[in-house]
Every structure is written in structure tokens, then in C-alpha cells.
Amino acid sequence: MELIYWWMPMLWALLAAVAAGVVVLVYRRGRRRSVGGRAIAHSDRLTALPGYRTALARYRALLLAFGALAAIVLVAGVTLASRPVATSIVYPQLSNRDIVLCLDVSGSMVEYDTELVEVFGQLVDEFEGERVSLVVFNASAVTYFPLTSDYGYIREQFATITEQFVNEDIAYFDGTFFGDGSSLIGDGLAACSLRFDTPEADRSRSIILATDNLAVGESIFTLTEAGELASEAGIRVYGINPGDSGAREYLARFAAEFQGVVEGTGGSYFGIDDPRTIDAIVERIDAEQATISRGAPQLVKADQPALPVVFAFLGLAGLIALAWRLQR
């Protein structure tokens, strides 16, 4: 067991020493002042009586016990204020699933990106132990954050990119313009397929690709070729198309191509307004076989107030009982 506020006992010890010094000084001054008082003749006869000696011994024992209990209460209180904790090392259990969130941040996606990040955040809330990464792409792809199972960090990153979208901060565009064109979906999907580390490990790999499939310019990989690359690597692609709308019939061809590619990898295709999107994607990813692996060791500190609390309550009960006896 260790103390979080380790300096507090030393502070209280210093205060106690100062208080004791003040008490001794006051006591000595009081004795010097009482020297000139009147003496009582033959007081030794009174103090020699057996009853007096017994009463005095009992009184001194009660005072000693009272002081001991007060010290116990003080030590217990200081210990509680110092926050005693037990330190241990735990190895969290992690799923062997890896998921790359692949987000198109081209001009045609501006009106959807905030909503898509919200959808991604809802997806992450449903995961437990999976490693997650976010890659944004336009003409080129940039890793916004790498594969990690630190969900607190992931939520912080989602909050940051959402704020950038809302405030029209172009920081999220950094590094995505190195290419001949815009919204090069094939290159974006291929880049996301390469973001998985340890390809030789037995891990489930999934990509959640959000794009309207409106590519402009020359890409290295077509969407079909990128889908084949993902399939060869054993990666399933789940597509979310915010542009799949009955009010936009001219987009039907792009939506059909997108759907065919992702389903060809063993994944599924959804429109952003489809109420089944989040539940269906999570259900499909959970259905993929996964084993539990041991994660990196983590230092855990747990508060241990039980023992000091017990001593404090017992000491207080004893003080109350002794105070009653002393008054008698």
C-alpha cells in the first residue's frame, strides 16, 4: 500500500511537533507562576492514602489511554487524507479485431463529414477491445490517428476533428492534396488497406469507408482494384454512402459501383440515413471470429480506505467512552 499525498503525514508531524512545543512552553510558564501559591500542610498524608493512590493511578491510566486513542484517530485521519492506495499491474483483455475508419474529406463531402464523424463515434461506443484507426483522404491519404485501443484518446480525436469541421478549420485537410485530382476513392481505399500493422498476425481486419464515390482526376488504383487489394489481404470493407439518395438519381451509377465493390470484399453497403447502419456494421464485425489477447500492462491504483476508517471509528468510540469516565 502507498499514499497518493505522501507529503501529508510529514506536514502533520511538523504541526504536531510545533503544537507539542507550545504546550510544553505554556505548561512551564504556568508552573513558574504557581510557585508563589499557598502550600497545604501535611498533604503527603492525603496522597499516601490507598484510595487516593488507586484513584490517581486510574486517572493517569485513563489519561494515557485517552492520549493513545487520540493519536490513533489522528493517524487514521491523516492516513485517510493522504489517500492510501493499492498498486497492481493488470493485463487488459483485447479483441484481435482491427478497424480502420476511412473518411473522404473532399469538397463534395463537406456537408456530410460532421455527421459521418458522429456515426463513427457511435460505432466506436459499441466496440470493446478492438483497435481503431482514422484515415482521412482526398487526393492523398493521411492517418489522423493510428490503430489504438485507447478509447479515451479516440474520443478526444473525434472531438478535435468535429470541432475542425464545425469551425471550418482546414487543419483536417493537411496532407490530403498531394495527388492529381480530388476524392480519389480508389487510392484512399488502397491507402487504408495498408494501414494495418502486423499483416502476418491472426487478426480480423475491417475498413469502414465513408464516401460518395465522386472521384475527379487520375488515381493510381480504381475503386475496383482497391477492393480487390483489400480482398487479397483478407480485409472486409463496409461502405457508408451519404450521397445514396433517391432524390439524386444521377448518382445511382456511382452508388451501384460502390456497393458492388464493398460487397465483393464480404462487407456490406449502407446509406448514411439507413437506421440499420450502426447496428448492422457492429453486428457484422462482431460476427467475425476473434480471439482474446493480452494487452500491454497497465498500472492500476485502487483506493484502500477500509482499514483507516475502521481505526478512526473505533478510536472515536473509545474517546467518547473515556471522556465519559473521566467526567465521573
Side-chain angles (χ1 to χ4, degrees):
M1 187 174 70
E2 63 181 77
L3 301 177
I4 295 292
Y5 306 118
W6 52 268
W7 48 266
M8 190 167 289
M10 293 187 291
L11 176 61
W12 277 96
L14 178 61
L15 293 176
V18 172
V22 172
V23 169
V24 170
L25 182 62
V26 171
Y27 176 74
R28 287 182 177 178
R29 287 185 177 180
R31 290 196 63 181
R32 282 198 295 266
R33 291 176 180 176
S34 64
V35 170
R38 294 184 179 182
I40 300 176
H42 307 295
S43 61
D44 55 327
R45 295 181 181 180
L46 176 63
T47 57
L49 293 174
Y52 178 87
R53 290 181 177 275
T54 301
L56 181 61
R58 184 183 301 112
Y59 182 74
R60 286 175 176 173
L62 288 174
L63 284 180
L64 182 62
F66 191 89
L69 288 175
I72 291 174
V73 172
L74 178 62
V75 171
V78 172
T79 303
L80 279 173
S82 303
R83 282 194 62 190
V85 296
T87 304
S88 61
I89 297 177
V90 299
Y91 294 85
Q93 291 185 335
L94 301 177
S95 170
N96 69 341
R97 299 186 183 98
D98 290 342
I99 302 165
V100 172
L101 307 174
C102 199
L103 178 61
D104 182 352
V105 292
S106 62
S108 61
M109 292 285 293
V110 169
E111 61 180 300
Y112 305 115
D113 282 333
T114 302
E115 186 176 359
L116 284 167
V117 170
E118 182 180 350
V119 170
F120 283 170
Q122 293 174 7
L123 283 168
V124 169
D125 288 339
E126 298 295 327
F127 295 144
E128 184 176 355
E130 285 83 359
R131 295 196 305 168
V132 179
S133 171
L134 174 61
V135 176
V136 296
F137 71 90
N138 187 2
S140 55
V142 174
T143 301
Y144 201 88
F145 60 84
L147 285 168
T148 178
S149 58
D150 186 343
Y151 286 85
Y153 170 76
I154 292 172
R155 292 184 179 93
E156 288 177 2
Q157 295 304 305
F158 279 151
T160 299
I161 195 171
T162 299
E163 183 178 356
Q164 290 171 345
F165 286 146
V166 172
N167 297 330
E168 298 183 355
D169 182 349
I170 62 172
Y172 71 90
F173 283 118
D174 290 347
T176 63
F177 293 110
F178 298 105
D180 186 13
S182 173
S183 190
L184 304 182
I185 293 91
D187 291 350
L189 177 56
C192 290
S193 299
L194 298 176
R195 293 309 194 265
F196 296 96
D197 55 7
T198 60
E200 71 284 353
D202 182 20
R203 303 184 67 86
S204 165
R205 298 177 177 85
S206 302
I207 292 175
I208 302 177
L209 174 62
T211 180
D212 55 8
N213 196 27
L214 295 179
V216 178
E218 294 293 330
S219 61
I220 300 173
F221 291 88
T222 65
L223 180 58
T224 301
E225 291 171 341
E228 293 172 353
L229 179 67
S231 294
E232 292 172 0
I235 302 169
R236 292 188 180 184
V237 181
Y238 298 90
I240 301 177
N241 185 358
D244 190 352
S245 171
R248 300 183 178 184
E249 295 183 0
Y250 67 95
L251 296 177
R253 177 172 62 85
F254 301 103
E257 179 190 24
F258 188 11
Q259 181 174 0
V261 168
V262 298
E263 290 180 350
T265 67
S268 303
Y269 172 87
F270 304 92
I272 194 173
D273 295 328
D274 189 336
R276 301 177 300 117
T277 300
I278 294 174
D279 291 340
I281 292 177
V282 172
E283 181 179 350
R284 290 293 303 274
I285 291 176
D286 284 344
E288 297 179 23
Q289 184 176 0
T291 58
I292 300 300
S293 60
R294 191 170 75 166
Q298 296 181 0
L299 186 66
V300 176
K301 294 184 177 181
D303 286 289
Q304 300 290 321
L307 194 59
V309 167
V310 170
F311 275 103
F313 275 108
L314 291 177
L316 285 173
L319 286 176
I320 294 172
L322 288 178
W324 177 74
R325 291 293 302 274
L326 286 170
Q327 287 180 351
R328 294 184 62 189

